[in-house]
């Protein structure tokens, strides 16, 4: 089985994004949910099987809490778990852009 973690960094404010609701889906099934902590991190599931998953970040909730206008109300990142390892999927966020990558 594989494990998953994610974190969100607010590149506009230059700090971790605390309080971002995050959901993990496998297909249309909600597998786990959580909210980023003060360091912008959330660990969602202790073990994942092979397959395709989607992380959904509720950016609107975070933007409202920081007083920022935001173009993207949510960010969805779809990825494939193919082997047994730890998967880390960070999100770099600003009011008008986002970026992600497969971390380590």
């Amino acid at each position: 089985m594989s494990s998953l973690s994610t974190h969100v960094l607010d590149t506009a404010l230059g700090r971790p994004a605390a309080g971002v609701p995050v959901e993990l889906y496998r297909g249309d099934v909600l597998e786990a949910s959580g909210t980023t902590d003060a360091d912008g991190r959330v660990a969602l599931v202790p073990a994942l099987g092979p397959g395709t998953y989607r992380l959904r970040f509720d950016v609107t909730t975070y933007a409202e809490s920081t007083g920022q206008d935001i173009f993207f109300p949510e960010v969805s990142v779809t990825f494939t778990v193919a082997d047994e390892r730890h998967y880390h999927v960070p999100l770099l966020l600003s009011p008008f852009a986002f970026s992600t990558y497969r971390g380590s």
Side-chain angles (χ1 to χ4, degrees), residues 7-10 13-22 34-42 58-66 68 91 93:
H7 77 272
V8 183
L9 299 174
D10 185 327
L13 298 179
R15 65 182 187 211
V20 178
V22 181
T35 302
T36 56
D37 62 16
D39 196 33
R41 297 181 182 278
V42 60
D58 182 352
V59 177
T60 299
T61 297
Y62 173 72
E64 289 172 353
S65 74
T66 60
Q68 297 181 76
L91 178 66
L93 182 64

Side-chain angles (χ1 to χ4, degrees), residues 57-80:
F57 299 87
D58 182 352
V59 177
T60 299
T61 297
Y62 173 72
E64 289 172 353
S65 74
T66 60
Q68 297 181 76
D69 291 327
I70 197 112
F71 182 70
F72 299 100
E74 69 178 49
V75 173
S76 291
V77 178
T78 303
F79 61 98
T80 301

